[in-house]
């Protein structure tokens, strides 16, 4: 998900430290979801699991009441589950996971007033080489984007690093949805597109906290909405993968606040 409010915020070292519990919580829930998802499990069960973890932690869902301009209605769930040709904003519904399904989880929560946002893709059951390669490419693109998130670089360097990995594997890049600022709210400025020109755009400064989130489709860069007003699918039915971390830019290099063990 991404929406663009109008102000870029920078955070102190102490504030970035205060964000760590939110990052650890989001990372832990995603890791549990990836371990738990199995053939025959319903997407609604996984959403219920994430909701229980939020309640147990005294956290706050960033999704339940979320209704940006691109959403058809308030989201109403705590987790995005996008399956196969769905790649973003998947609204959980009564669907049992099948063998070989490619499932993307996107999860954001607030802990003690701070937000973290992260996503990952997994194949449940027997995985095809095509799906594993797509996930690997998306993972390497995320790593490249994070490596470019250093003080003195430009915003375009992050997008260029992501797109270079994608195009190197023959994938097209959609820039309609991408990363975004994170902090006290889930979606803030700047928008962090998954493509860019090196050395161009906003200069990266210490204290900027952003979600970097490459997502790719196997054979297209065009997306269409489901009737639910949320779920975004490939226009040609090809599968998609989505990876995301919340990253703080510091003088000592990028800190991945949602790093998973």
């Amino acid at each position: 998900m991404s929406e663009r409010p109008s102000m870029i915020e920078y955070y102190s070292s102490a504030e970035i430290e205060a964000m760590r519990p939110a990052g650890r919580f989001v990372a832990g829930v995603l890791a549990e979801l990836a371990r738990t998802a199995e053939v025959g499990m319903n997407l609604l069960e996984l959403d219920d699991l994430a909701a229980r973890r939020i309640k147990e932690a005294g956290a706050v869902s960033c999704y339940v009441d979320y209704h940006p301009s691109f959403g058809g209605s308030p989201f109403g769930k705590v987790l995005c589950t996008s399956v196969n040709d769905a790649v973003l904003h998947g609204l959980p519904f009564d669907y049992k996971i099948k063998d070989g399904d490619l499932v993307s989880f996107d999860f954001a929560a607030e802990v003690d007033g701070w937000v973290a946002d992260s996503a990952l893709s997994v194949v449940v059951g027997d995985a095809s080489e095509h799906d594993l390669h797509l996930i690997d490419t998306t993972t390497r693109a995320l790593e490249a984007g994070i490596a470019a998130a250093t003080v003195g670089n430009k915003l375009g360097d992050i997008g260029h690093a992501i797109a270079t990995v994608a195009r190197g594997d023959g994938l097209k890049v959609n820039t309609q949805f991408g990363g975004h600022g994170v902090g006290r709210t889930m979606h803030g400025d700047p928008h962090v597109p998954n493509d860019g020109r090196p050395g161009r755009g906003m200069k990266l400064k210490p204290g900027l906290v952003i979600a970097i989130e490459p997502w790719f489709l196997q054979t297209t860069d065009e997306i269409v909405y489901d009737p639910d007003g949320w779920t975004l699918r490939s226009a040609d039915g090809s599968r998609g993968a989505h990876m995301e971390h919340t990253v703080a830019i510091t003088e000592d290099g990028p800190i991945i606040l949602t790093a998973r063990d």
Side-chain angles (χ1 to χ4, degrees), residues 15-33:
E15 287 173 319
I16 290 172
E17 284 300 308
M19 295 178 187
R20 287 185 183 272
R24 287 194 294 268
F25 173 69
V26 167
V29 171
L30 280 174
E32 182 178 7
L33 290 165

Side-chain angles (χ1 to χ4, degrees), residues 16 149-151 204-210 247-251 253-255:
I16 290 172
T150 58
V151 172
L204 303 178
K205 299 177 182 179
L208 181 66
V209 180
I210 53 177
V247 179
I249 296 173
T250 77
E251 292 284 8
I255 297 173

Side-chain angles (χ1 to χ4, degrees), residues 25-81:
F25 173 69
V26 167
V29 171
L30 280 174
E32 182 178 7
L33 290 165
R35 293 192 305 268
T36 303
E38 60 183 16
V39 175
M41 181 166 281
N42 196 300
L43 297 183
L44 296 176
E45 293 179 77
L46 294 167
D47 187 74
D48 286 343
L49 171 60
R52 289 198 304 274
R53 297 295 178 258
I54 287 171
K55 183 176 180 179
E56 292 165 359
V60 178
S61 171
C62 293
Y63 289 173
V64 169
D65 298 322
Y66 190 58
H67 190 187
S69 59
F70 59 79
S73 61
F75 191 71
K77 301 294 182 183
V78 303
L79 177 68
C80 289
T81 53

